[in-house]
Amino acid sequence: MTSCQDAEMPPAITEHRYTADDGAELGYLRRGPGQAAADPLICVPGGPGADVRYLAGLGGLDEHRSLVLVDQRATGRSPVPQDRSRCVYTAQAEDLEALRRHLGLETIDLLAHSAGCLTALEYAAAHPERVRRLVLVTPAGLLGREPDEREVAAIRADRAGEPWYAVAVAAERELAAGGVDPAREEELTLRTVPFVWGRWREEYLELYHEPTQDAPDWYRAVFYSGAPAPDARPARLARLAGSGARPLVLGGGRDGVIGTAPARRIAELLPGSRLVVLPEAGHRIWHEEPKAFVAEVLAHLDA
């Protein structure tokens, strides 16, 4: 058992494993009170391929619910598969079904962030009878990464007066040009992280220096390769709309990573969805607006 020092009484954090359908031993963490509780909240990280520990206690949500923090394939405590196709988001939805069975749950409450929302939506479409409540936090899209680039550009341009802006833009241009040495790539990426936040604070940079076990460089392209071809998109969209999922969809009005367009589109497509956009928040709402985030999520879970 390990401990975390982000509260006066650190929440219990324990490491666990379960067996996927292909025999792989995948990992997850349990965090919060009542770890043997029958109503855990399964949490899928974004990235894609980010170490799930960045979710931390989700703004204090772990004080109310036992969190099951999923290690995606090739991240954290889950091994890199020989068959890379197991890292496609559509395949990882079946890992969630194996986890449900492992936990002995008839239905699950499921929360996902950013790119992880693709996995959660795929699971809800494939196993609609197994999803009790669904929460999508700053989702990347419905079928792949689908921002409105004009909206994202406008959100970023609105920050032009901030002291870090010119350095961040120059770093992004250098990264986009390609051919950057790996050591310098990490340095440049860190210069762009203020775009993740609605209100940048220097202490946020510490979050990006914490030890992590993120996925390999190839992971991102493989993860998104599950997006359907143009001619298959209507059927996939119909399948999602017919899944019965009525999620709470949370967006950040100053999200310089993905904007609000994907969240709005999901809420429009899935009948009964509830969209909440926090106007001053960025991509990690639970850090910037923890009280509002926890209140909205708990209201949805307890409805």
Side-chain angles (χ1 to χ4, degrees):
M1 180 181 295
T2 59
S3 64
C4 177
Q5 301 298 322
D6 61 352
E8 292 183 9
M9 296 184 64
I13 303 174
T14 55
E15 296 186 3
H16 304 268
R17 291 190 178 276
Y18 70 100
T19 304
D21 291 343
D22 65 343
E25 293 295 316
L26 305 181
Y28 66 95
L29 303 175
R30 289 200 72 154
R31 173 174 177 140
Q35 292 193 50
D39 61 345
L41 176 62
I42 295 176
C43 304
V44 182
D51 188 311
V52 72
R53 287 176 290 184
Y54 83 91
L55 295 178
L58 285 171
L61 193 57
D62 61 340
E63 297 174 12
H64 305 272
R65 294 289 292 264
S66 173
L67 307 183
V68 173
L69 302 165
V70 175
D71 283 320
Q72 300 174 92
R73 297 266 181 162
T75 69
R77 287 135 294 278
S78 292
V80 177
Q82 290 186 340
D83 179 3
R84 291 186 180 183
S85 69
R86 296 295 308 191
C87 295
V88 175
Y89 74 81
T90 50
Q92 293 205 63
E94 291 309 308
D95 292 338
L96 291 179
E97 175 61 5
L99 177 59
R100 179 198 65 79
R101 295 195 302 266
H102 164 81
L103 294 171
L105 301 172
E106 285 296 317
T107 61
I108 62 173
D109 290 341
L110 183 60
L111 177 149
H113 176 233
S114 192
C117 295
L118 289 165
T119 305
L121 283 167
E122 186 69 19
Y123 180 79
H127 304 280
E129 75 285 357
R130 298 300 186 186
V131 179
R132 193 187 78 93
R133 294 286 186 271
L134 180 61
V135 180
L136 304 175
V137 184
T138 56
L142 266 166
L143 304 173
R145 190 177 187 278
E146 301 159 340
D148 180 332
E149 298 293 354
R150 290 177 297 179
E151 181 197 27
V152 173
I155 290 172
R156 293 186 173 198
D158 192 50
R159 316 286 296 277
E162 300 188 39
W164 51 264
Y165 180 82
V167 171
V169 170
E172 286 225 319
R173 288 173 180 165
E174 189 171 342
L175 289 168
V180 178
D181 178 82
R184 180 160 173 74
E185 182 175 355
E186 181 178 357
E187 175 190 344
L188 292 171
T189 301
L190 286 173
R191 293 180 185 177
T192 70
V193 297
F195 287 129
V196 174
W197 306 88
R199 295 178 296 272
W200 175 242
R201 299 174 183 173
E202 288 296 328
E203 57 263 33
Y204 288 156
L205 197 59
E206 297 177 11
L207 299 172
Y208 295 87
H209 292 294
E210 294 178 352
T212 58
Q213 293 171 283
D214 291 338
D217 292 342
W218 50 260
Y219 187 95
R220 184 181 185 84
V222 171
F223 181 89
Y224 284 120
S225 68
D231 61 347
R233 290 173 71 88
R236 180 77 71 82
L237 287 169
R239 182 165 161 259
L240 287 170
S243 68
R246 296 182 295 276
L248 168 65
V249 188
L250 295 168
R254 304 187 79 189
D255 183 347
V257 176
I258 207 72
T260 66
R264 296 180 188 280
R265 185 164 183 243
I266 288 170
E268 289 172 2
L269 176 77
L270 302 183
S273 300
R274 187 163 69 92
L275 173 68
V276 177
V277 175
L278 300 179
E280 298 301 314
H283 198 57
R284 297 188 179 187
I285 295 173
W286 64 92
H287 272 294
E288 297 187 278
E289 301 285 354
K291 291 183 179 179
F293 174 83
V294 171
E296 291 290 353
V297 172
L298 289 179
H300 184 67
L301 296 179
D302 296 338

